[in-house]
């Protein structure tokens, strides 16, 4: 008899877990307050980042930290309330970002990233979503030779250790790929085995459709409570009560609050972000996804227009939007890509990335509750890592040997 399972959260991570469990014959109910792919997964830069083997560290060095203090940077903004509210996790983030600690984390993190495109592939095929995918890679552009040279060294290391492929481009080589870029950029890394997605929310929705064709069920409803009942679990929603033997918590930036309700205190925090779409007629359209690496934003050729996504904003999840960071990113984007047209959206989109202090997600069994499973804290890479998370989670829940050594991602590493 199939094992009743409820997956909470219908972003890329939750949908991928539900898909893998349904493919193994489980009876799976996927629950979210919004349709699949309409929260965090909707707003990202649309990259499946096979090259992202180095998690983003907290700024190190006095000079970099002092440059953040005026709170005018494009890549990071903050407010005092947000910093104080997340002081413990942010201190842990700073500590884990020190060179020795970060170096230890990289191969653990890379073990998941290395399977990212491989695990998206069967889901893309099952969802008939190939038209959304570009496999031409993306460009990480640089304004300074020093920045480009340092990144070339990291790219060579990633190629040797983790199978990342790339091409270093000088100014003429970059001009061949993106003729409309200004002379403010002098070169780039072309990451050649990463993929672009021109409708990130649409891809998650397509995966969810494939999940439903496998016999899974989706319920759009607000989650009211999650509680233990006998040897199983009860999930109360505003659309009714549902019981299951297993519950998977894949609630992204909302996971930290639910963990506290269940008695687990983990060093969670969020990095908020914004996006806006811009017009560009076909002769002026970008050919590649593009990141202005030293400034801190992405331009992406999406179906809805050219999407500009911002860096990190360290504020509470529920704080009102502040569009200053987006405005600053737009000004910089127009300097390197003057063909960027007018804004298309009525207002900017705002979302949040779910983060943990050691830059690695929690994936696996809850330490103190049978039948409770965690999958959150993917930071900037939930969209990239959803399918591999789905695979290893399903393998663990089914008692199989997972494709990746999972001890670095266990929930009890924080003492919970």
């Amino acid at each position: 008899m199939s094992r009743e399972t409820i997956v909470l959260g219908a972003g890329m991570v939750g949908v991928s877990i539900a898909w893998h469990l349904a493919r193994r014959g489980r009876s799976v109910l996927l629950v979210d307050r919004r349709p699949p792919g309409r929260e965090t997964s909707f707003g990202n830069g649309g990259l499946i980042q096979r090259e992202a083997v180095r998690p983003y560290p907290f700024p190190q060095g006095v000079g970099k930290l002092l440059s953040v203090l005026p709170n005018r940077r494009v890549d990071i903004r903050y407010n005092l309330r947000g910093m104080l509210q997340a002081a413990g996790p942010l201190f842990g983030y700073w500590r884990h970002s020190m060179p020795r600690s970060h170096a230890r984390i990289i191969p653990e993190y890379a073990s998941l990233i290395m399977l990212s495109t491989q695990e998206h592939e069967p889901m893309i095929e099952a969802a008939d979503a190939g038209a959304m995918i570009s496999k031409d890679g993306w460009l990480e552009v640089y304004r300074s030779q020093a920045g480009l040279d340092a990144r070339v060294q990291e790219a060579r290391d990633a190629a040797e250790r983790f199978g990342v492929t790339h091409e270093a481009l000088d100014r003429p080589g970059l001009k061949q790929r993106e003729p409309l870029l200004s002379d403010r950029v002098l070169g780039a890394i072309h990451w050649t085995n990463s993929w672009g997605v021109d409708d990130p929310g649409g891809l998650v929705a397509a995966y969810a459709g494939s999940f439903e064709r496998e016999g899974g069920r989706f319920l759009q409803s607000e989650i009211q409570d999650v509680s233990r009942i006998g040897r199983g679990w009860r999930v109360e929603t505003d659309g009714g009560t549902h019981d299951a033997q297993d519950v998977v918590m894949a609630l992204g930036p909302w996971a930290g609050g639910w963990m506290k309700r269940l008695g687990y205190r983990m060093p969670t925090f969020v990095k908020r972000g914004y996006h806006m779409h811009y017009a560009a007629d076909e002769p002026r359209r970008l050919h590649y996804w593009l990141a202005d690496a030293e400034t801190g934003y992405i331009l992406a050729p999406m179906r809805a227009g050219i999407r500009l996504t911002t860096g990190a904003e360290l504020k509470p999840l529920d704080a009102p939007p502040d569009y200053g960071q987006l405005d600053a990113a737009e000004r910089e984007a127009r300097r390197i890509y003057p063909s960027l047209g007018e804004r298309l959206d009525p207002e900017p989109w705002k979302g949040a990335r779910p983060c943990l202090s050691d830059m690695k997600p929690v994936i696996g069994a809850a330490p103190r509750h049978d039948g409770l499973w965690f999958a959150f804290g993917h930071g900037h890479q939930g969209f990239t890592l959803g399918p591999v998370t789905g695979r290893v989670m399903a393998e663990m829940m089914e008692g199989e040997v997972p494709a990746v050594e999972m001890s670095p991602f266990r929930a009890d590493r924080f003492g919970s």
Side-chain angles (χ1 to χ4, degrees), residues 75 117 126 158 266 281 306-307 361 371 381 394 412:
D75 56 348
T117 51
M266 297 186 189
D281 56 33
I306 294 179
R307 178 180 292 185
Q381 300 300 342
D412 62 0

Side-chain angles (χ1 to χ4, degrees), residues 95-245:
R95 183 168 53 84
H96 285 294
S97 297
M98 289 183 177
R100 286 188 180 181
S101 180
H102 193 242
R104 289 193 298 269
I105 290 167
I106 287 170
E108 298 171 344
Y109 189 80
S111 68
L112 294 175
I113 291 287
M114 290 169 69
L115 298 182
S116 56
T117 51
Q118 168 189 313
E119 294 305 320
H120 271 276
E121 188 73 77
M123 296 186 68
I124 292 167
E125 182 177 353
D128 193 24
M132 298 183 190
I133 312 301
S134 167
K135 297 185 178 181
D136 295 331
W138 66 280
L139 301 175
E140 186 174 313
V141 304
Y142 283 83
R143 303 181 184 213
S144 74
Q145 191 63 49
L148 179 58
D149 290 345
R151 190 58 164 156
V152 167
Q153 291 302 314
E154 291 183 347
R156 290 171 178 166
D157 177 72
E160 181 178 339
R161 297 170 63 192
F162 307 120
V164 174
T165 62
H166 74 282
E167 183 179 357
L169 303 175
D170 58 13
R171 174 67 195 165
L174 177 58
K175 197 75 172 177
Q176 285 184 343
R177 286 165 173 76
E178 289 292 357
L180 298 178
L181 295 184
S182 76
D183 291 338
R184 290 176 181 269
V185 292
L186 54 80
I189 304 290
H190 182 189
W191 301 107
T192 54
N193 61 344
S194 295
W195 298 349
V197 181
D198 67 10
D199 183 358
L203 183 64
V204 178
Y207 287 174
S210 176
F211 156 72
E212 291 184 293
R213 290 192 293 275
E214 293 287 342
R217 296 161 291 142
F218 172 69
L219 172 66
Q220 185 176 340
S221 193
E222 191 83 37
I223 302 163
Q224 304 291 348
D225 193 33
V226 179
S227 60
R228 195 82 162 122
I229 176 169
R231 300 182 66 180
W233 289 89
R234 172 163 291 171
V235 175
E236 296 179 23
T237 74
D238 57 13
T241 298
H242 307 273
D243 295 342
Q245 293 161 293

Side-chain angles (χ1 to χ4, degrees), residues 310-380:
T310 67
E313 183 186 57
L314 297 175
K315 290 186 178 180
L317 181 60
D318 59 353
D322 181 346
Y323 300 136
Q325 187 179 28
L326 178 68
D327 295 341
E330 180 182 319
R331 288 192 295 272
E332 290 296 329
R334 293 188 186 280
R335 290 187 175 109
I336 71 162
Y337 180 55
S339 297
L340 191 67
E342 69 275 10
R343 291 187 174 193
L344 299 177
D345 303 327
E347 63 181 17
W349 177 90
K350 175 179 71 70
R353 308 169 184 96
C355 302
L356 284 158
S357 62
D358 65 356
M359 293 164 276
K360 298 177 295 185
V362 165
I363 307 171
R368 300 191 304 273
H369 294 90
D370 291 340
L372 180 62
W373 303 82
F374 299 150
F376 60 87
H378 292 74
H380 293 259

